[in-house]
């Protein structure tokens, strides 16, 4: 009879530990979702701005994901970024689509549109010389 109560206490402790672990994981996931929603909401609350800007640099980052099961192919992802300089001299870097990345060239001057920290588009001027003022 003494061993039954010992086994019961082990299972009770394991159950409590598992419950705490699941709660911690749920809180971490919830915090991540809340942060994402807050960022999305903050960007949507910002006005759509149009400013004269020049493309000063472009970069890309290639990431790969190993397959979970044997026989699957490795997945590769590319993130594209463009840095713009506005009339005040400030620089802003945005994530852009692959299509926009391919159409932008360093030195392009035009009208940048963005909302918060979200790139909306770039309309190039015919004049490629950087001239502010």
């Amino acid at each position: 009879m003494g061993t039954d109560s010992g086994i019961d206490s082990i299972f009770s402790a394991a159950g409590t530990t598992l419950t705490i672990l699941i709660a911690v994981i749920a809180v971490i996931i919830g915090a991540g979702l809340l942060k994402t929603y807050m960022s999305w909401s903050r960007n949507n609350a910002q006005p759509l701005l149009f400013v004269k800007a020049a493309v000063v640099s472009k970069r890309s980052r290639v990431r790969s994901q190993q397959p979970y099961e044997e026989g699957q192919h490795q997945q590769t992802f590319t993130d594209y970024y463009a840095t713009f300089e506005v009339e005040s001299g400030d620089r802003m870097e945005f994530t852009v689509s692959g299509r926009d990345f391919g159409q932008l060239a360093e030195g392009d001057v035009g009208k940048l549109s963005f909302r918060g920290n979200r790139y909306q588009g770039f309309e190039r001027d015919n004049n490629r010389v950087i001239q502010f003022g």
Side-chain angles (χ1 to χ4, degrees):
M1 286 197 184
T3 58
D4 287 339
S5 65
I7 291 174
D8 288 342
S9 66
I10 290 172
F11 282 118
S12 176
T16 303
T17 303
L18 185 60
T19 302
I20 292 171
L21 181 62
I22 290 171
V24 168
I25 291 171
V27 167
I28 290 170
I29 291 171
L33 290 173
L34 182 63
K35 181 179 176 187
T36 300
Y37 173 75
M38 295 298 287
S39 176
W40 175 83
S41 179
R42 190 172 36 255
N43 277 326
N44 285 345
Q46 297 294 319
L48 180 61
L49 298 176
F50 297 89
V51 296
K52 186 174 181 182
V55 179
V56 292
S57 69
K58 297 176 6 176
R59 69 182 178 92
S60 60
R61 178 179 68 141
V62 179
R63 306 177 279 127
S64 62
Q65 181 176 352
Q66 298 297 327
Y68 293 112
E69 297 178 11
E70 192 172 323
Q72 290 181 336
H73 296 291
Q74 178 177 350
Q75 292 181 321
T76 302
F77 305 94
T78 306
D79 300 317
Y80 299 99
Y81 303 92
T83 302
F84 298 88
E85 183 174 325
V86 296
E87 292 179 290
S88 67
D90 292 333
R91 291 185 175 198
M92 297 181 282
E93 182 179 67
F94 295 100
T95 302
V96 298
S97 69
R99 182 173 190 259
D100 285 339
F101 184 84
Q103 292 180 347
L104 294 171
E106 290 184 17
D108 281 351
V109 175
K111 191 178 289 186
L112 169 68
S113 58
F114 63 97
R115 181 183 308 265
N117 62 5
R118 195 179 309 143
Y119 172 84
Q120 298 292 311
F122 183 77
E123 187 178 320
R124 181 178 16 263
D125 290 342
N126 289 332
N127 182 7
R128 290 179 52 106
V129 179
I130 300 174
Q131 293 178 344
F132 291 119

